Amino acid sequence: MLGAFGAHGLKAILSPSALATFEIGVRYQMYHGLAIIALPALSAYVSPKWLNAVAALYVIGCALFSGSLYLLAITGNGLFGPITPLGGLCFIIGWIALAIAIVNGKTSKGKSND
């Protein structure tokens, strides 16, 4: 919905640069939203504790990264810019945590990784 809003509702209002910023926020939110939806498919292989942590990192990343880009694009206020890397860091930590969880698996020598 945000992508359609940006493409149709904001196209006449925002500069091309601001619209591109908004679209980056939409893209990363979509990628990580799809990743969150896919996480339960890994539940047979990865501890729910890890999956919940990864999902939380993705949600926080979306709020900080995409949210700050939306606010930056719409308001033009540069104060929101420094928030964006914090969201990106949450995304990166989430992907690293997911990789570690997959490598470790749900059990290690019969013991739970919870």
Side-chain angles (χ1 to χ4, degrees), residues 23-36:
E23 289 174 353
I24 290 169
V26 169
R27 188 177 322 124
Y28 277 79
Q29 185 175 357
M30 181 189 64
Y31 292 155
H32 289 87
L34 291 172
I36 290 168

Side-chain angles (χ1 to χ4, degrees), residues 1 19 25 31 53 60 68 84-85 100 106 112 114:
M1 287 183 359
L19 191 58
Y31 292 155
I60 293 167
S68 66
T84 308
I100 291 169
K106 194 166 189 174
S112 176
D114 291 337

Side-chain angles (χ1 to χ4, degrees), residues 1 3 5-6 8 18-19 36 40 45 52 61 75 83-84 86 99 108 110 113:
M1 287 183 359
F5 174 68
H8 301 290
L19 191 58
I36 290 168
Y45 310 102
N52 290 338
T75 68
I83 298 170
T84 308
L86 297 175
S108 177
N113 282 337

Side-chain angles (χ1 to χ4, degrees), residues 83-95:
I83 298 170
T84 308
L86 297 175
L89 184 61
C90 288
F91 288 153
I92 292 167
I93 294 169
W95 287 108

Side-chain angles (χ1 to χ4, degrees), residues 1 4 6 14 22 28-29 37 44 46 48 59 64 67 74 81 84-86 96-97 101 113:
M1 287 183 359
L14 297 180
F22 189 89
Y28 277 79
Q29 185 175 357
I37 291 169
V46 178
V59 168
L64 295 175
I74 292 170
T84 308
L86 297 175
I96 291 170
N113 282 337

